[in-house]
């Protein structure tokens, strides 16, 4: 078992704990968890809950015999969210605060800062922040999509040092413990490499081992931002006794780097890119090794449609090197790519100087962090 220390944690609680029968919220697995959170808070620690369960909780109120449509699921979530919050409020002596977020809220810098301000104020007033995806407004392309990754984004925005994922499995195993008798629990993961992704069914696979794929994605986002991640079995009450004494009975993914600045975290994980800039080897070298800005002269190809200020990825030899906020829109950049600064104002009638993406507005991906999907060329 691994010892760990923490001060501010996001505790992600899955539907199997909140609504274990799949139809309504119960206190069965919530009580030991609430005791853990309450006792930790009494020690001066700060906790944010990311809770699933709204769709499961609303299922009885929207009975269907077929696979529910998106609208039916959204109706379930709208009804179930009230029940899920009421269930948490039953057990806490402090006010519970509902925060419903979508991927867009993390991508927009103003909203991102607003989330931080709200959380700060909630902590100041001793409230219990409880986050879920805003399922009723989010369609697939706007969604984070799963609460493991939502937990990671929340840990990033909250500047937490720890993400604790409470699931119905003891941690990460060497094989699926439901199928392999000699599967062994892995107590500590130093680096999330391909072998770790393979344990969850492979990085590109859509079928995870007990939902492990999204958990590892979440742990990877956190590790690369200086946040440790724990996977524990939230169905076992003694797990919370261990956590209270600073011991993790599940798996600890250690933080692989010192924490990023708040702005670098936002640039790294919360933005969705709107285009791609294929860059030459000189630009790739300058970005990677010298911490330089990206100059128009180093851009070979511009793909996608984006406005000035949108996020774009930098691609070199089919690999995404990083991303940042582009000073020019895609149409203008098409016209000045490859040009030197003196030529830019002649062509466009204005110039932001030779820089297309300023070094303060970009991040370079670490190893294994190229999770961004390439944008398809427009017809
Ligand atoms: N937001 C969903 C719900 O509340 C849960 C998604 C998930 O658990 O990954 O039902």
């Amino acid at each position: 078992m691994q010892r760990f220390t923490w001060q501010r944690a996001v505790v992600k609680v899955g539907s199997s704990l909140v609504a274990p029968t799949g139809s309504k919220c119960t206190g069965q697995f919530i009580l030991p968890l609430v005791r853990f959170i309450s006792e930790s808070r009494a020690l001066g620690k700060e906790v944010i809950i990311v809770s699933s369960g709204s769709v499961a909780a609303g299922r009885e109120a929207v009975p269907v015999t077929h696979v529910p449509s998106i609208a039916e699921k959204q109706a379930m979530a709208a009804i179930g969210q009230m029940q899920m919050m009421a269930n948490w409020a039953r057990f806490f002596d402090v006010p519970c605060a509902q925060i419903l977020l979508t991927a867009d809220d993390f991508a927009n810098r103003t909203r991102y800062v607003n989330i931080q301000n709200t959380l700060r104020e909630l902590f100041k007033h001793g409230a219990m922040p409880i986050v879920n995806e805003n399922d009723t407004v989010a369609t697939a392309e706007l969604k984070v999509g799963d609460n493991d990754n939502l937990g990671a984004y929340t840990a990033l925005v909250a500047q937490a040092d720890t993400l604790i994922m409470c699931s119905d499995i003891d941690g990460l195993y060497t094989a699926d413990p439901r199928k392999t008798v000699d599967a062994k629990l892995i107590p500590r993961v130093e680096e999330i490499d391909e072998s770790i992704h393979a344990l969850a069914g492979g990085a590109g696979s859509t079928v995870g081992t007990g939902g492990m794929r999204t958990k590892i994605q979440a742990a990877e986002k956190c590790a690369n931002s200086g946040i440790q991640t724990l996977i524990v079995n939230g169905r076992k009450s003694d797990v919370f006794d261990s956590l209270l004494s600073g011991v993790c009975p599940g798996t600890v993914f250690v933080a692989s780097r010192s924490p990023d600045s708040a702005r670098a975290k936002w640039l790294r994980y919360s933005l969705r890119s709107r285009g791609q800039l294929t860059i030459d080897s000189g630009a790739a070298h300058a970005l990677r090794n010298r911490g330089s800005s990206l100059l128009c002269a180093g851009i070979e190809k511009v793909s996608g449609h984006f406005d000035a200020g949108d996020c774009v990825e930098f691609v070199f030899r089919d690999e995404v090197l990083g991303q940042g906020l582009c000073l020019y829109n895609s149409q203008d950049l098409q016209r000045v790519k490859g040009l030197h600064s003196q030529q830019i104002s002649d062509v466009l009638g204005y110039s932001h100087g030779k820089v297309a993406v300023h070094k303060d507005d970009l991040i370079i991906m670490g190893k294994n962090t190229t999770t961004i999907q390439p944008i398809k060329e427009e017809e």
Side-chain angles (χ1 to χ4, degrees):
M1 289 209 224
Q2 293 293 305
R3 290 207 71 80
F4 73 108
T5 57
W6 63 285
Q7 180 53 35
R8 182 181 294 171
V10 167
V11 176
K12 186 262 164 179
V13 192
S15 297
S16 64
L17 305 179
V18 179
T21 59
S23 60
K24 64 177 194 302
C25 296
T26 73
Q28 187 185 359
F29 299 118
I30 296 305
L31 264 169
L33 184 58
V34 169
R35 188 173 70 85
F36 162 68
I37 293 173
S38 302
E39 291 188 18
S40 300
R41 283 168 53 110
L43 295 171
K45 295 178 192 287
E46 292 171 319
V47 178
I48 298 164
I49 294 174
V50 170
S51 178
S52 303
S54 69
V55 174
R59 202 159 268 148
E60 268 183 1
V62 186
V64 288
T65 48
H66 52 267
V67 176
S69 66
I70 292 174
E72 283 165 342
K73 270 196 175 163
Q74 288 174 319
M76 289 173 192
I79 295 167
Q81 180 64 25
M82 295 278 289
Q83 298 181 12
M84 185 258 270
M85 285 303 292
N87 194 47
W88 284 111
R90 281 203 291 154
F91 300 111
F92 281 108
D93 289 335
V94 294
C96 289
Q98 170 175 271
I99 304 178
L100 296 175
L101 302 171
T102 65
D104 256 12
D105 300 320
F106 294 106
N108 177 299
R109 180 76 187 156
T110 308
R111 292 194 215 168
Y112 192 89
V113 171
N114 278 337
I115 301 167
Q116 287 183 323
N117 292 343
T118 304
L119 287 173
R120 196 173 302 121
E121 208 59 29
L122 290 170
F123 284 140
K124 197 164 101 191
H125 293 283
M128 184 65 244
I130 302 176
V131 175
N132 193 6
E133 181 126 41
N134 195 350
D135 290 311
T136 53
V137 300
T139 46
E141 61 276 13
L142 296 179
K143 268 194 148 188
V144 174
D146 66 87
N147 277 16
D148 293 329
N149 280 295
L150 181 68
Y153 286 123
T154 305
L156 292 168
V157 72
Q159 289 167 276
D161 50 46
T162 306
L163 168 64
I164 304 176
M165 292 198 270
C166 302
S167 173
D168 54 1
I169 190 157
D170 289 345
L172 179 66
Y173 279 84
T174 51
D176 187 342
R178 287 168 289 204
K179 294 185 193 142
T180 313
V181 275
D182 58 357
K184 293 204 171 48
L185 183 80
I186 303 172
R188 182 178 169 93
V189 175
E190 295 282 348
E191 196 191 342
I192 302 172
D193 56 15
E194 283 315 310
S195 68
I196 297 294
H197 280 293
L199 294 177
S205 158
T206 49
V207 198
T209 305
M212 241 350 131
R213 192 176 64 94
T214 51
K215 288 186 177 47
I216 289 176
Q217 286 170 353
E220 188 169 35
K221 285 187 182 72
C222 286
N224 287 321
S225 295
I227 301 169
Q228 64 185 341
T229 300
L230 278 53
I231 300 178
V232 294
N233 193 335
R235 290 190 163 212
K236 297 182 175 169
S237 59
D238 57 346
V239 161
F240 296 106
D241 298 328
S242 301
L243 292 181
L244 267 176
S245 60
V247 170
C248 175
T251 302
V252 178
F253 297 80
V254 299
S256 59
R257 51 186 283 164
S258 54
D260 277 332
S261 71
R263 185 170 172 80
K265 273 190 189 126
W266 176 71
L267 284 169
R268 188 178 297 279
Y269 286 117
S270 301
L271 289 173
R272 294 217 163 161
S273 80
R274 307 270 179 225
Q276 291 187 322
L277 310 181
T278 305
I279 60 176
D280 64 20
S281 58
H285 180 79
L287 288 177
R288 264 199 190 125
N289 304 316
R290 293 212 300 270
S292 308
S293 298
L294 175 63
L295 309 185
C296 294
I299 299 171
E300 289 178 340
K301 185 174 157 205
V302 177
S303 316
H305 292 291
F306 49 87
D307 289 325
D310 278 349
C311 176
V312 291
E313 294 169 345
F314 321 132
V315 179
F316 178 60
R317 292 192 183 139
D318 295 329
E319 191 195 338
V320 177
L321 288 192
Q323 60 182 22
L325 307 177
C326 191
L327 286 167
Y328 295 94
N329 67 36
S330 48
Q331 278 171 318
D332 288 353
L333 199 57
Q334 286 287 7
R335 297 167 63 202
V336 297
K337 65 175 193 284
L339 298 187
H340 287 284
S341 49
Q342 306 90 304
Q343 299 166 277
I344 293 173
S345 46
D346 290 345
V347 175
L348 295 181
Y350 74 96
S351 166
H352 294 305
K354 53 190 179 172
V355 170
V357 182
H358 192 271
K359 60 181 186 223
D360 291 347
D361 292 332
L362 64 83
I363 51 96
I364 297 302
M365 300 293 179
K367 244 170 81 196
N368 297 324
T369 58
T370 45
T371 53
I372 304 155
Q373 296 303 311
I375 295 196
K376 287 203 187 75
E377 281 291 326
E378 299 278 326
E379 294 291 303

